[in-house]
Amino acid sequence: SDGKLYITGSSSLSLSATDTLSGVSKTEYRIDSGVWMLYAPFGIPSEGSHIIEYRSADNVGNIETAKSLSVIMDNTPPVTSISTGDPKSIVSGITYVTKDTNFTLSASDNVSGVSKTEYRIDAGDWTIYAPFNISSEGTRIIYYRSTDNVGNIEDTKTLTVVIDNTPP
């Protein structure tokens, strides 16, 4: 999305090398200027930005100039919060609203960014977020969550509200 390569802890990185004359004898890699290691598919050990360097040698000892790749590992899902507009009344810990009350979700992700935010009412279908209200009276559960740009999904959160459209 922003020209950077984002991965997760479950991403496996692989390298391949060719040499048309004597053949490849070994491929090595290192992470963040660490020790050169003999290549096998590998992952990145911790969140954040990392530099992967890699190189190969052929069977007569020619070693290629090391190449590098910058990656950013993101294992943390986004965080979403819900805001209940007016009219609303909170009585003994219960939030009462009407069909005119808007609900707003906001999400943030400090690494790869938020891909989508979605919600559902009770057992309804997940819907891509836009500000919403609930028209049918009764106790309703709003489920909401966000997903970041590498697929980390936030644990579903809930808000229980009582819709009251009936005057006294």
Side-chain angles (χ1 to χ4, degrees):
S1 60
D2 53 10
K4 298 176 182 170
L5 177 60
Y6 291 95
I7 62 173
T8 68
S10 61
S11 300
S12 179
L13 303 168
S14 55
L15 303 170
S16 64
T18 58
D19 185 273
T20 56
L21 297 176
S22 66
V24 176
S25 72
K26 69 179 178 178
T27 298
E28 300 173 304
Y29 73 96
R30 69 181 180 180
I31 301 170
D32 298 330
S33 300
V35 175
W36 285 101
M37 294 179 278
L38 198 55
Y39 168 72
F42 63 98
I44 301 296
S46 62
E47 270 197 332
S49 297
H50 300 279
I51 303 289
I52 301 165
E53 293 175 281
Y54 53 97
R55 66 185 182 193
S56 294
D58 65 17
N59 285 306
V60 293
N62 295 309
I63 299 174
E64 110 184 272
T65 301
K67 296 180 174 94
S68 67
L69 174 68
S70 295
V71 298
I72 301 169
M73 188 169 71
D74 179 1
N75 282 333
T76 304
V79 175
T80 308
S81 60
I82 191 166
S83 176
T84 305
D86 290 319
K88 74 175 173 241
S89 177
I90 300 172
V91 179
S92 300
I94 299 170
T95 302
Y96 293 87
V97 298
T98 73
K99 62 181 173 33
D100 298 318
T101 305
N102 279 323
F103 296 93
T104 307
L105 299 174
S106 62
S108 63
D109 184 89
N110 292 338
V111 184
S112 66
V114 176
S115 168
K116 69 179 176 181
T117 298
E118 53 191 351
Y119 73 96
R120 73 177 195 208
I121 308 301
D122 298 324
D125 292 332
W126 285 103
T127 302
I128 295 297
Y129 167 70
F132 62 95
N133 51 30
I134 305 168
S135 56
S136 57
E137 279 196 328
T139 301
R140 300 285 175 257
I141 302 173
I142 302 167
Y143 296 86
Y144 57 99
R145 66 186 181 195
S146 294
T147 304
D148 69 15
N149 284 304
V150 293
N152 295 311
I153 302 172
E154 175 181 27
D155 288 340
T156 300
K157 295 178 178 174
T158 63
L159 173 67
T160 301
V161 295
V162 177
I163 314 300
D164 178 1
N165 296 323
T166 306

